[in-house]
Amino acid sequence: MAQRAVPLVKPAPSSPPPGSPPVTVESAAILNALPEPVFVIDEAGCFRAVNHAAEQFFDSGAAALVGRRIRDLVPADSPLIALIDQVRATGSSMSEYGITLETPRIGSHVISAGAAPIAEAPDCVVVSVQQLTIAHKIDQQLTHRGAARSVTAMAAMLAHEVKNPLSGIRGAAQLLERNASADDLQLTRLICEEADRIVGLVDRMEMFSDQRPIERSAVNIHQILEHVRRVAESGFARGRRIMESYDPSLPPVYGNRDLLIQVFLNLVKNAAEATAETDGAIILTTRYQDGVRLAAPGSQARVHLPLLISVQDNGGGVPEDLRPHLFDPFVTSKIGGKGLGLALVAKIVGDHGGVVEFNGEPRRTVFSVRLPMAPVSRELE
Ligand SMILES: Nc1ncnc2c1ncn2[C@@H]1O[C@H](COP(=O)(O)OP(=O)(O)O)[C@@H](O)[C@H]1O
Ligand SMILES: [Mg+2]
């Protein structure tokens, strides 16, 4: 069937109103420059026009897409199809947030979509898609910061209210031990051991109550990853293959070496625990990725987070029910697990002004940390 060509939008007027700068860029060029996928669906439910981002989104060239039914690419019961139908039926524009699009061809994306009728092309609907990945995850990360804060307050309270009475209980049990029979001795030992166990737990939580700003300098993240790798290979990750995919030109991170070691030790330890000794594979990746800026905690300034460091494994993945609370403290699926590793990772990364994200696909679990770059000049804050 021959397609009628419909311009994506009306071309800019050749003589702009007085006072405004002359517009010479063509509308198609503007649409193609947009990072968001934009496409037009006609009355038959076929693509009529697509911008470059839409070609990438559907993993197909414009020539193959135009004239093709959107239902061939998106399930018929998808809210995206319902949105397009509704806009066509009502003639007014609408948006839909948090749609999960899952197709064999494009994989799984969480998107928001806006759709509007086109006055010049009756029955055609223009759709723009925002992929939620980064914005959505950063939003989640800000929630994790809140979670770390609530543990902070609790840890400080526990240190006061639990450790002192416990040392009294332990001392009393030791006094009783002096005159105790063999049977009673077992009980006093039990009191001491359990008291020690609780003190150990409170000590671990006290890590969260340290509110001092961290000391930072320019650190080489590859040296940190090498250190973590050595520790892992000689201990908890024995038998797993640890591979590297580094960007050797990556600039230094503005961070605290010891704390960053803790972050990556925790992530690699989880990756090792999720994989089998026989076929476990862990990939450490570093990349420079522009484009993510985030409000610094407690200030208006925006921090640029171009350094991306990720830990990937081929294990069974994070259990579905844990995912929404993954970075909260005490969330664990392991027998004897403390559930503090990822909470600590979130706290330390947050203290660096960075973010940590989680991506789970079958046999491909990825934790990615985005961190700021060290200032180029010598004057570090
Ligand atoms: N790489 C991973 N693969 C699968 N599950 C993971 C991974 N990392 C973390 N998890 C899940 O997140 C939970 C919390 O991790 P963490 O906070 O480190 O606590 P812990 O390791 O003590 O359980 C783990 O119990 C596990 O279920
Ligand atoms: Mg852990």
Side-chain angles (χ1 to χ4, degrees):
M1 183 177 82
Q3 298 298 321
R4 273 173 293 148
V6 175
L8 279 177
V9 292
K10 256 173 101 169
S14 48
S15 50
S20 62
V23 178
T24 50
V25 187
E26 289 215 0
S27 9
I30 295 173
L31 281 167
N32 281 333
L34 282 177
E36 287 88 25
V38 177
F39 50 89
V40 175
I41 300 295
D42 67 14
E43 70 279 13
C46 298
F47 287 95
R48 182 69 69 84
V50 293
N51 73 348
H52 285 339
E55 291 177 64
Q56 275 173 16
F57 184 74
F58 289 107
D59 192 19
S60 191
L65 277 176
V66 172
R68 192 142 179 226
R69 280 156 50 93
I70 185 168
R71 279 165 207 251
D72 294 344
L73 298 169
V74 174
D77 59 355
S78 164
L80 183 64
I81 304 279
L83 176 74
I84 295 169
D85 290 345
Q86 236 176 329
V87 167
R88 190 176 294 117
T90 60
S92 51
S93 57
M94 288 176 198
S95 301
E96 180 89 34
Y97 297 93
I99 305 175
T100 303
L101 263 192
E102 185 130 27
T103 71
R105 192 169 168 88
I106 58 178
S108 174
H109 292 266
V110 181
I111 61 157
S112 286
I118 305 176
E120 291 83 349
D123 291 326
C124 282
V125 174
V126 59
V127 182
S128 87
V129 169
Q130 290 91 41
Q131 285 178 267
L132 288 189
T133 43
I134 290 179
H136 188 65
K137 283 176 188 145
I138 286 178
D139 201 38
Q140 284 183 344
Q141 163 71 24
L142 297 177
T143 324
H144 307 150
R145 283 189 186 163
R149 264 200 301 279
S150 64
V151 187
T152 304
M154 193 161 129
M157 185 274 285
L158 280 180
H160 272 96
E161 304 299 322
V162 175
K163 274 168 84 173
N164 292 344
L166 269 181
S167 72
I169 293 171
R170 199 181 190 287
Q174 279 177 323
L175 282 177
L176 286 175
E177 241 174 49
R178 292 188 188 162
N179 303 319
S181 65
D183 276 357
D184 288 348
L185 209 56
Q186 278 191 357
L187 295 178
T188 53
R189 293 262 157 84
L190 186 73
I191 294 173
C192 289
E193 279 167 23
E194 289 298 285
D196 290 346
R197 204 173 56 79
I198 299 172
V199 170
L201 175 67
V202 175
D203 282 344
R204 274 194 300 278
M205 290 189 51
E206 269 186 303
M207 294 181 297
F208 288 98
S209 63
D210 195 344
Q211 296 273 38
R212 288 168 302 175
I214 53 173
E215 277 179 30
R216 298 203 275 174
S217 58
V219 294
N220 180 330
I221 198 70
H222 296 135
Q223 282 174 3
I224 288 181
L225 294 175
E226 274 323 291
H227 176 85
V228 168
R229 181 197 170 123
R230 269 198 305 278
V231 174
E233 277 175 344
S234 57
F236 56 77
R238 203 168 290 139
R240 278 71 166 180
R241 268 185 312 141
I242 302 188
M243 290 165 283
E244 298 157 357
S245 168
Y246 292 165
D247 172 355
S249 65
L250 201 75
V253 169
Y254 189 33
N256 179 298
R257 182 175 183 276
D258 293 344
L259 292 175
L260 289 176
I261 288 179
Q262 250 184 310
V263 164
F264 292 103
L265 268 180
N266 269 300
L267 293 179
V268 173
K269 186 159 190 284
N270 281 343
E273 286 166 352
T275 53
E277 229 174 273
T278 42
D279 68 346
I282 300 171
I283 308 175
L284 307 176
T285 307
T286 64
R287 289 280 177 274
Y288 188 90
Q289 202 181 75
D290 235 337
V292 176
R293 277 170 198 278
L294 187 65
S299 95
Q300 293 292 321
R302 296 189 78 74
V303 188
H304 185 198
L305 302 174
L307 308 182
L308 182 71
I309 304 115
S310 55
V311 178
Q312 178 184 331
D313 70 69
N314 62 349
V318 176
E320 199 65 46
D321 56 330
L322 248 54
R323 292 182 183 202
H325 313 287
L326 194 54
F327 293 89
D328 287 356
F330 310 117
V331 169
T332 183
S333 62
K334 298 170 193 168
I335 298 166
K338 303 281 184 292
L340 289 175
L342 289 179
L344 193 64
V345 166
K347 161 150 171 59
I348 296 175
V349 172
D351 286 349
H352 278 79
V355 284
V356 53
E357 302 162 8
F358 156 74
N359 265 297
E361 287 169 31
R363 312 290 295 167
R364 193 169 171 276
T365 305
V366 190
F367 284 86
S368 304
V369 176
R370 292 177 191 271
L371 290 171
M373 215 162 55
V376 181
S377 69
R378 302 251 75 206
E379 8 154 337
L380 302 175
E381 272 175 12

